[in-house]
Amino acid sequence: MSSPSAVVVLITGANSGIGYAASKVIASASAKYHVIMASRSIEKGNAACSAIQAAGIKGTTSSIQLDVTDESSIAAAVKAIESDHGRLDVLVNNAGIASRAPTLKEQLERTFSTNVVGAAIVAEAFTPLLLKSAEPYLLHISSTLGSLSLSGEFDYGIDARAYRMSKAALNMLMVRVSMTLGKHGVKVFAVCPGLVESNLRGEGAQERSAGGKAGDPEVSGQTILRIMEGGRDADVGRLVNKDGVVAW
Ligand SMILES: NC(=O)c1ccc[n+]([C@@H]2O[C@H](COP(=O)([O-])OP(=O)(O)OC[C@H]3O[C@@H](n4cnc5c(N)ncnc54)[C@H](OP(=O)(O)O)[C@@H]3O)[C@@H](O)[C@H]2O)c1
């Protein structure tokens, strides 16, 4: 059981990219933070957790298995966190994919299964634990690529149809969850982390860096930290990035 003064943070997809960087930034920021790094592969999750601990952090980290497309895995994680901590203060719904399956149908099915259905059922499953927190935050890691208005105006040279559709749907999920949980004190956000280095586009150097255009995922981690520390409370219920509010 964590001490009542600890802030218990759960990040899905924490073994890589933004989830890993956010875990490191948060655990480095203060001794009060305990970051539970959730990964679908417990081996990758344990390795990522150990790497952060070896880097020297003020707070603490632990690792848990959680596949957002597997209800039994989600239920087991809820049970373990309830038993270990009794509550959850911050949920960062970060796990996401950009499927490169050969057909649009497969891309849509795979991408929605993780980015929309997975995010929705993870948020639903952890809601009872969030409601036990004195200061709960629920962050959905979305993207400006899911903005309906900006997709028409700025093409960004990327079709990414299934991915864009999934993030537009995630934004709607966030609005509805915010309407419901906001009444109970949960601050709900959608967050565009910016174009940053990760495995989202592929694991080669070119894909990871988006041809050199991608920034440092620790900047995304700082944005997430600022939101959960209350620095963006004026924008609750909106799609935000590091600079402000993004148009829907
Ligand atoms: N990087 C960017 O430029 C950018 C921009 C806007 C939004 N985003 C969003 O940021 C989030 C994080 O992505 P990233 O860029 O950091 O990419 P990443 O390096 O590929 O990280 C994605 C993470 O999600 C995990 N994941 C995938 N499917 C999962 C599942 N079914 N259950 C649990 N975990 C699963 C991955 O695990 P494995 O390692 O096992 O695959 C990995 O840990 C995503 O929601 C993405 O859409 C990223």
Side-chain angles (χ1 to χ4, degrees), residues 15-16 18 40 67-68 94 142 163 167 194 196 198-199 201:
N15 58 286
S16 168
I18 293 161
R40 59 177 160 177
D67 183 332
V68 305
N94 166 74
S142 185
Y163 182 77
K167 294 302 188 183
V196 295
S198 77
N199 292 335
R201 295 163 292 268

Side-chain angles (χ1 to χ4, degrees), residues 28-88:
S28 301
S30 164
K32 72 183 174 186
Y33 292 126
H34 178 72
V35 183
I36 306 168
M37 299 174 65
S39 307
R40 59 177 160 177
S41 153
I42 191 64
E43 291 79 18
K44 286 186 189 175
N46 287 342
C49 186
S50 298
I52 288 181
Q53 288 167 353
I57 48 175
K58 294 179 184 161
T60 51
T61 58
S62 60
S63 172
I64 197 165
Q65 197 277 338
L66 197 166
D67 183 332
V68 305
T69 63
D70 177 349
E71 284 171 282
S72 60
S73 154
I74 297 168
V78 170
K79 203 170 162 193
I81 292 169
E82 181 167 30
S83 159
D84 289 349
H85 304 283
R87 69 178 192 286
L88 185 61

Side-chain angles (χ1 to χ4, degrees), residues 117-210:
V117 181
I121 63 176
V122 167
E124 182 181 48
F126 281 99
T127 291
L129 289 185
L130 283 171
L131 292 175
K132 291 184 180 172
S133 168
E135 194 72 56
Y137 282 84
L138 170 51
L139 277 55
H140 296 91
I141 305 305
S142 185
S143 173
T144 301
L145 290 179
S147 162
L148 298 179
S149 53
L150 297 180
S151 288
E153 205 175 321
F154 301 107
D155 181 62
Y156 304 111
I158 315 166
D159 183 46
R161 198 165 299 188
Y163 182 77
R164 286 177 186 263
M165 289 167 70
S166 77
K167 294 302 188 183
L170 181 67
N171 292 344
M172 176 58 83
L173 168 74
M174 185 281 298
V175 171
R176 295 315 307 168
V177 172
S178 182
M179 294 294 288
T180 312
L181 294 186
K183 294 179 190 130
H184 301 281
V186 186
K187 293 179 181 129
V188 187
F189 291 82
V191 184
C192 175
L195 176 62
V196 295
E197 283 199 21
S198 77
N199 292 335
L200 188 69
R201 295 163 292 268
E203 297 190 16
Q206 276 293 105
E207 290 84 10
R208 281 186 51 77
S209 72

